Amino acid sequence: MRASVYRKAHFNAAHRLFNPQWDSEKNNAVFGLCNNENWHGHNYDLVVKVTGEIDPITGFVIDMKYLKELIKSEVEDRFDHKNLNLDCPEFRNLNPTAENIALVIFDLLRAKLPSSLELQVRLYETERNFVDYPV
Amino acid sequence: MRASVYRKAHFNAAHRLFNPQWDSEKNNAVFGLCNNENWHGHNYDLVVKVTGEIDPITGFVIDMKYLKELIKSEVEDRFDHKNLNLDCPEFRNLNPTAENIALVIFDLLRAKLPSSLELQVRLYETERNFVDYPV
Amino acid sequence: MRASVYRKAHFNAAHRLFNPQWDSEKNNAVFGLCNNENWHGHNYDLVVKVTGEIDPITGFVIDMKYLKELIKSEVEDRFDHKNLNLDCPEFRNLNPTAENIALVIFDLLRAKLPSSLELQVRLYETERNFVDYPV
Amino acid sequence: MRASVYRKAHFNAAHRLFNPQWDSEKNNAVFGLCNNENWHGHNYDLVVKVTGEIDPITGFVIDMKYLKELIKSEVEDRFDHKNLNLDCPEFRNLNPTAENIALVIFDLLRAKLPSSLELQVRLYETERNFVDYPV
Amino acid sequence: MRASVYRKAHFNAAHRLFNPQWDSEKNNAVFGLCNNENWHGHNYDLVVKVTGEIDPITGFVIDMKYLKELIKSEVEDRFDHKNLNLDCPEFRNLNPTAENIALVIFDLLRAKLPSSLELQVRLYETERNFVDYPV
Amino acid sequence: MRASVYRKAHFNAAHRLFNPQWDSEKNNAVFGLCNNENWHGHNYDLVVKVTGEIDPITGFVIDMKYLKELIKSEVEDRFDHKNLNLDCPEFRNLNPTAENIALVIFDLLRAKLPSSLELQVRLYETERNFVDYPV
């Protein structure tokens, strides 16, 4: 009796894509407009997927109130209204692409969830670009 | 040549989450606002996923008109504008969490579909909380 | 320099449509499935529209953090996870149609906003049925 | 460090479902309104899923600007504002069901992507009917 | 106590934009891809807005079940899965732009609603292009 | 025969809300998280509404291909992937609240449209916060 439950959250942040080991020309060629040195930003939508047994006593895979609070404390409070490159040590040495942001969020939540529960995160950078991690 | 086809449907219902073997205090601690003894309700959105071979004659995995009618007769007519706890025998002894509602809908549809077709249901309790069964 | 600002909120509630002065047959004829005596429910989406001058000092018509908190205290805390007919005195003698819920919400918010600001509320009972009050 | 990235696109097209080896009566019985000999149409939404390793240098699974251009040249330019049956050789001998359109789009994109990347396409014929290929 | 109520509906149709008094070159210049002589199509979303007094007995501006049926019989049954130019006499001498389709739908519904109710229709040709009539 | 036509567009940008004549404490009190000195950002969705006569020759209020290009050149190219405060002279002395961004976009488009057409812009800062200008 395994099911997956999903909780949606969101945060608004600024970022810039670039590789500090490349010059400006190479960064522009690879990252285009996303390399604007004055930053740009997004409304990130996050969908957290948790998979496990349906508890026969509660009917829950996980208490969604708990999951909502966990996402708030671990993700929203950390990244909302922040500059990911400047304000967030997680991205000091990691390019904040949607792929890498998803990976960081996965690691933050994975550390707080019991190992009996599987975890996957989906991150929407825009309505048209989104990422799942892990696969 | 296997594909998955999806059909979206919806129903509006009232429910209450509680465990009859617990006292009121325990139910409130676990189920919070969802334990309101006078019920609350949702617009449930349902997405039914059917996986199988694409028929080379029709180009269909399953006739979507048939699937639409099946969801109407088995799910929408049964649960729409109902109190899941009071009106629906499926939940007489089963807490109507999103997980359990998905499980019940899966069983209702599974019984009507040929075994050559795989089935999964996704149930949105709100835009922010949803469930897949099975995994 | 007048603009309208909008803030979206939501609450989940149970309700039943009926006129206590009519018999069951008349209520069923007029209200159909919505007259289920065991209630049904909805995810109500609310959009509050406030119109006024853009303040040249702040660039705001109204502080959206304040508006968000006002909607939370006046509307969401009052109606979320409630049975509108049983739990909410506003509907003791008022049929909780979408029109009447919008009217009640308008009155609750109107009483808290300065008269220099115009107010309109939009209430979605479902994605397909919604209401504006006043016109 | 494998992730899936998704890119959304769309095109508007006319089509008709029918099997040329069947008479009109049989086609109507199987395809219903979709068999209208004067065509009907849809706003097709396409979501392309690409799975692979996150490149440690760029933080990308694939450059989304490239993927966007690939979908434009291979899919949107080919099918947008077209009659799938009349204008598109891909459907000369293939009934343009959502399943078959997804299969054709998969083949077009698969031919252009390196084999190290996995590919899946989701095609929405309407908001309520959609398809994944392959499974 | 006036309010506006809205009901959403949809239909899928093929069409072509052109002016029969112009040659092909002029039609292409003005209507671009929409002038494809083999047609293209859309999922049209329709939102019907009805404004009037809230009836103190029912709490309704208009019975939404009636409005839903009216839209079905007057609009959906007439235009769904049709070629607007070929199958629908309303567009025999009228270019089926979103503006004109909205105007035709307005006239069809206006003829069936009591004059005490105001009417406006919104027609989405795509998620990104839509029209209100009248203003 | 007047109608309103709407065109949806979007751009992603960074910004910061603050009043340079206030100290940090006052700015934090009024603008909260939006005053982060390292910026944050949004996916802005823009809906441009143009009202006028339906041309009896074309069936158009305005050519939507022209309107789409106008929005691209005047708004998207100017603000997409920019820091509104640093990169855009329009906001050198104007706090980039949603209200003020809408006002600036209105002025940019108003200058390019014939006076026979009315104009209104709606700007979504998030799905939950949006603005109309003018009223």
Side-chain angles (χ1 to χ4, degrees), chain E residues 17 19 22 29-33 95 97-100 103 122 126-135, chain F residues 1-10 47 49 51-52 54 57-65 76:
Chain E
L17 299 187
N19 183 327
W22 292 345
V30 174
F31 297 116
L33 292 174
N95 200 15
T97 59
E99 290 90 329
N100 281 336
L103 191 153
R122 170 170 288 190
T126 69
E127 195 191 2
R128 294 175 171 262
N129 284 348
F130 52 104
V131 177
D132 282 343
Y133 181 83
V135 298
Chain F
M1 295 301 195
R2 286 169 66 76
S4 298
V5 297
Y6 299 80
R7 175 73 197 171
K8 198 174 164 192
H10 64 98
V47 181
K49 175 186 184 180
T51 301
I54 305 176
I57 307 299
T58 59
F60 285 163
V61 167
I62 185 174
D63 180 346
M64 291 298 257
K65 299 184 299 299
E76 292 178 317

Side-chain angles (χ1 to χ4, degrees), chain D residues 15-45:
Chain D
H15 78 154
R16 174 196 179 188
L17 300 187
F18 74 112
N19 185 326
Q21 302 186 309
W22 292 344
D23 63 14
S24 179
E25 196 179 2
K26 180 82 189 277
N27 271 303
N28 277 328
V30 173
F31 297 116
L33 292 174
C34 298
N35 181 39
N36 177 8
E37 66 182 355
N38 283 331
W39 327 100
H40 66 285
H42 295 291
N43 302 334
Y44 290 96
D45 274 328

Side-chain angles (χ1 to χ4, degrees), chain B residues 1 4 13 23 36 38 61 73 80 82 85 95 120:
Chain B
M1 294 301 196
S4 297
D23 63 14
N36 177 7
N38 283 331
V61 167
S73 61
D80 190 32
K82 296 290 173 58
N85 306 66
N95 200 16
Q120 188 186 43

Side-chain angles (χ1 to χ4, degrees), chain B residues 6-94:
Chain B
Y6 298 80
R7 174 74 198 172
K8 198 175 165 192
H10 65 98
F11 57 94
N12 309 320
H15 78 153
R16 175 198 179 186
L17 299 188
F18 75 112
N19 183 327
Q21 302 186 310
W22 292 345
D23 63 14
S24 179
E25 197 179 1
K26 179 83 187 276
N27 272 303
N28 277 328
V30 174
F31 297 115
L33 291 174
C34 298
N35 181 39
N36 177 7
E37 66 182 355
N38 283 331
W39 327 99
H40 66 285
H42 296 291
N43 302 335
Y44 290 96
D45 273 328
L46 173 69
V47 180
V48 175
K49 176 186 184 180
V50 174
T51 301
E53 287 290 322
I54 305 176
D55 181 316
I57 308 298
T58 60
F60 286 163
V61 167
I62 184 175
D63 181 345
M64 289 298 255
K65 300 184 298 300
Y66 170 75
L67 183 58
K68 177 185 175 182
E69 288 306 313
L70 185 67
I71 296 170
K72 182 174 187 309
S73 61
E74 292 302 311
V75 182
E76 292 178 318
D77 290 350
R78 197 181 298 258
F79 298 136
D80 190 32
H81 283 72
K82 296 290 173 58
N83 183 309
L84 297 179
N85 306 66
L86 295 182
D87 296 329
C88 302
E90 294 83 359
F91 300 103
R92 195 121 318 152
N93 300 303
L94 186 67

Side-chain angles (χ1 to χ4, degrees), chain D residues 78-112:
Chain D
R78 199 181 296 258
F79 298 136
D80 190 31
H81 283 74
K82 295 289 173 58
N83 183 308
L84 298 178
N85 306 67
L86 295 181
D87 296 329
C88 302
E90 295 83 358
F91 300 103
R92 194 118 324 149
N93 299 303
L94 186 67
N95 200 14
T97 59
E99 289 89 331
N100 281 336
I101 302 172
L103 190 153
V104 163
I105 292 172
F106 173 83
D107 287 345
L108 288 167
L109 295 173
R110 181 67 278 177
K112 301 286 184 176

